[in-house]
């Protein structure tokens, strides 16, 4: 269950994190192994393992995450050049099975990603 992931522990305060934003529905903190000068993870408090496990009831939560990602990027000084990434499943590089948005910026980002 995703409650038992490292992100569940961060949400519960059992593991420290560099938290930059939180509200009733989500929390954002700095990635421990940043892939760019600016790399924040935004997670819902609800323990959804993967994006594909989200249900229609989660629609407003998913919308809230998108809007919050934009707000966090602005507050953290990403300007208007940043990328949101959701790795869904092991084959796509997901290593922590608690849904999270990577907010990445602070350098030029090429496309397509690897
Ligand atoms: P993903 O590979 O998409 O599942 O992303 C998981 C991300 O979590 C990686 O970028 C890791 O660097 C990051 N990460 C893992 N453990 C921690 C932690 N304790 N604090 C902050 N970031 C973490």
């Amino acid at each position: 269950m995703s409650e038992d992931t490292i992100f569940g522990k961060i949400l519960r305060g059992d593991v420290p994190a560099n938290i930059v934003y939180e509200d009733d529905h989500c929390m954002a903190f700095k990635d421990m192994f940043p892939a760019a000068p600016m790399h924040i993870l935004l997670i819902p408090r609800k323990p959804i393992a993967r994006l594909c496990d989200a249900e229609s009831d989660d629609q407003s939560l998913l919308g809230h995450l998108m809007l919050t990602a934009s707000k966090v990027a602005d507050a953290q000084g990403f300007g208007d050049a940043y990328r949101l990434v959701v790795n869904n499943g092991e084959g796509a590089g997901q290593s922590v099975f608690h849904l999270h948005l990577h907010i990445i910026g602070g350098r030029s980002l090429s496309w397509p990603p690897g």
Side-chain angles (χ1 to χ4, degrees):
M1 284 297 292
S2 54
E3 287 118 59
D4 295 325
T5 68
I6 189 74
F7 293 171
K9 292 182 171 73
I10 288 172
L11 279 169
R12 293 196 300 274
D14 293 343
V15 164
N18 192 336
I19 297 166
V20 298
Y21 175 84
E22 58 184 320
D23 65 25
D24 288 347
H25 305 289
C26 60
M27 177 186 279
F29 50 89
K30 295 195 174 169
D31 196 294
M32 192 181 237
F33 304 105
M38 304 173 99
H39 188 168
I40 306 276
L41 298 171
L42 176 63
I43 67 174
R45 291 190 186 278
K46 182 176 176 180
I48 299 167
R50 303 166 299 175
L51 181 61
C52 66
D53 298 311
E55 297 177 341
S56 49
D57 279 358
D58 298 314
Q59 183 164 323
S60 66
L61 174 60
L62 296 178
H64 179 71
L65 290 173
M66 293 294 281
L67 291 171
T68 302
S70 168
K71 195 157 84 175
V72 168
D74 186 48
Q76 290 292 309
F78 281 59
D80 65 354
Y82 56 88
R83 182 172 293 168
L84 302 184
V85 173
V86 176
N87 295 323
N88 186 89
E90 245 173 54
Q94 185 173 4
S95 61
V96 180
F97 287 84
H98 184 123
L99 175 64
H100 49 283
L101 275 68
H102 295 259
I103 312 170
I104 296 166
R107 64 168 166 82
S108 74
L109 298 164
S110 59
W111 189 264

